[in-house]
Structures are given as structure tokens and as C-alpha cells.
Amino acid sequence: MKCVAVLLIVSVLVCPVFADDGAPAPETSAEASAAVPPSSATEREEPGFQASFEESFLAAEAAEIDADLEAQSTETQQKPPTTEEQPPKPTTEEPQKPEPPKEPPPKRPSLKPADFWKDVKVEAKRYVADSYAILVAPFHWSVADWERAAGAAVLIGGLMLEDKHLDHEFQKNRSTFTNRVSQATTGFGGGYGVNTGFAFLIVGYVFRSWDVRETGRETLEAGFLSNLLDKWVLKYAFGRERPQKSNGRTVFRPGSSNDSFPSGHATEAFAVASVIAMRSPGWVLPTIAYTAATLVAFDRMNDRVHFASDVAAGAVLGTAIGRFLVARHRRARAEAQKTTLEIVPIKSGLAARIGF
């Protein structure tokens, strides 16, 4: 029995090796079983053949995986390293405009008479240059500027369609309280606004504060130029009758003495408020300034000297001129204060001179 068992074991081990005499001798039993196909259906059903076939299949899969890993490692070694595997996706958002540059610290205002008169001459030249810049500004507007102008025109036109109804509602709700508020705050669109500019200017000179003095200069200039454009150009061009005269109806007589559109008080008030808002840090002073300007606009409708569209046009005009002047002056100072580098000769060679 022992001999028979030994012979059976030997035959099982030797049978796969000599199954095909014409094939070269494989290195392992798994490779040999993978290379030798079964000759009959009976051999395919034998347990020995099934085990050898499964091992050969697993070995073939392992060989394919090893080959793929080697190919990937070779490509990785040959590929140069890059910091970004994929280029950044293009963005569809429009790039934001850069903020206005910060202003360098200028010289403190001087109280000497010679320096004061020099400042007056500079101020006169500044008014002329800024007036010309305001007139030609529409020729340099961007698409966004024209869109804002169109939006303002739509707003004013829509209010103009409701002017009669709004005038009736304001007169219906008019009271002693609204009249007292009007008496107390209407001056911010007239003498109070001018006095505010002079107050900033005087305080800036007395305490030698450049920021406060500049706020006063721009407040006075914005009020003057906006009033000049409003009174001597737009009012004469439109010639709109005031609501008291037209009894709430919209009547335009271009070239006449009618001066309802735009509101001069609202223009002055919002010109002053816009300069103070842009020149003041934080939110307290800007809130107070725009609140006072808004009260002036309501006062003019309460007193029935202007329509709603009149005060809206004045608010747009004053705000636009005030913000335009502040932005223009900031840009001019930033360009004038750029750092310069010059090479100058000296006795022993050359030297660099840096200007700020």
C-alpha cells in the first residue's frame, strides 16, 4: 500500500511536466500549467488541473499588474516635475478695478502770508483745471460709467412720471413738525454747506492738519462747481416750472427763467456730503453728512418748491461731482509722489539719488 501511495503521488507531480513533449521546460509549475491547454474534457474536470489552472490565472494577473506599475514608474521618472499638474481654469468673472492708491503724507499747511497767497493761486488754477475735466469727463467714460448714467436717467425719468402724485402726497402730510424740520435743515443746502467748507478749511490751517484742510478745499470747490453747472447750465437748459407755479403739472420751457430742475439745494447738500464722506474715516461722519443732505431733499418737497425728480437729479449731480473731484485729486497726488531714481556724477564717480 505504501508503494502504491508513493507511485500515485509521484505520478501526480510528474504528469503536468511531461504533458507536452514539444514545449520547453517551464521554470515553475504555475507557468507550466498556464502554457499547457487541457487535451480533453475529462482532464479539465480533474482537481489537479483546476488547481493548476487557477494558480496560473492568478500568476498571469499578478504579472500584468507588475508590468503596469513598472510602466507608470518609468513615465513618472521621465516626466519633468511641475508645480501645477493642470493649468488654472479660466475665470468668467470680470476683474475688479483697483482701489485708489493711498496718499503719501504731504506737508503741513503754512500760516505765512506768502505761502497763503501761493495757495490761493494754486486754488484758482485748480478750479479751472477741474472745471475742464468735468466737462470732458463723459468723453472718457467706460461702459460701466455709461451704465450708471443710464440707471440714474431711468430713476429720474420714473420719478418724473410720479411727480404730480408725490407732490400731492407731500402736501397732504405736511404739518407743523415737518415745517419746523425744514426751517432747521434746509440751510445745509445753502449757506450752511458753504460755512461747513470754510470751517474745515480754517481748522485745517489753525491746527496745521493737511487732511482737514483738504476736506475744506474740496467741499468748497465741489459746492461751487456743482452750483455753477446746476444754475447756469442745466436750469436754463430745461426751464422747468416749480410745482407752485404749475400746480403739480410737469411743464418745461427751455431758455426761460423757470429754475425747478435740478434742485440747487439738493445739489449743494449732496456735493458737500459726498466730499465729507470720502474724506472721513469710519461711518459716523458719512452717515451724518448724507442724512443731512437727505433731509434737505425732503425739505424742498415739503415746502413745495421742487418736485421729487428735481431733488433726485440734484442728489445725483452733487454726489457725482464731489466724488469725481476727490478721486481726481487723489490720483494726481499719487502720480506726483512716485519714487524716482536718478544717477548723478560726483567727484569720485557716480551716485544714485532717490526721490519720494
Side-chain angles (χ1 to χ4, degrees), residues 34 78 102 117 142 147 194 200 210 225 259 298 306 313 330:
Q78 293 178 355
K102 295 183 179 180
W117 288 114
S142 62
E147 290 176 351
V194 178
F200 274 103
W210 184 89
L225 295 182
D259 56 354
F298 282 106
H306 282 293
R330 282 179 175 175

Side-chain angles (χ1 to χ4, degrees), residues 21 77 84 116 138 144 169-170 218 256 264-265 267 288 310 349 351:
D21 295 335
Q77 293 177 358
E84 296 182 358
F116 177 78
E169 291 296 323
F170 265 90
E218 291 174 339
S256 65
H265 278 70
T267 302
I288 295 174
D310 297 341

Side-chain angles (χ1 to χ4, degrees), residues 35-36 68 94 116 128 169 175-176 198 203 235 302 356:
V36 179
D68 293 339
E94 184 179 354
F116 177 78
V128 174
E169 291 296 323
S175 63
T176 304
F198 277 115
V203 171
K235 284 181 179 293
N302 177 80
F356 296 94

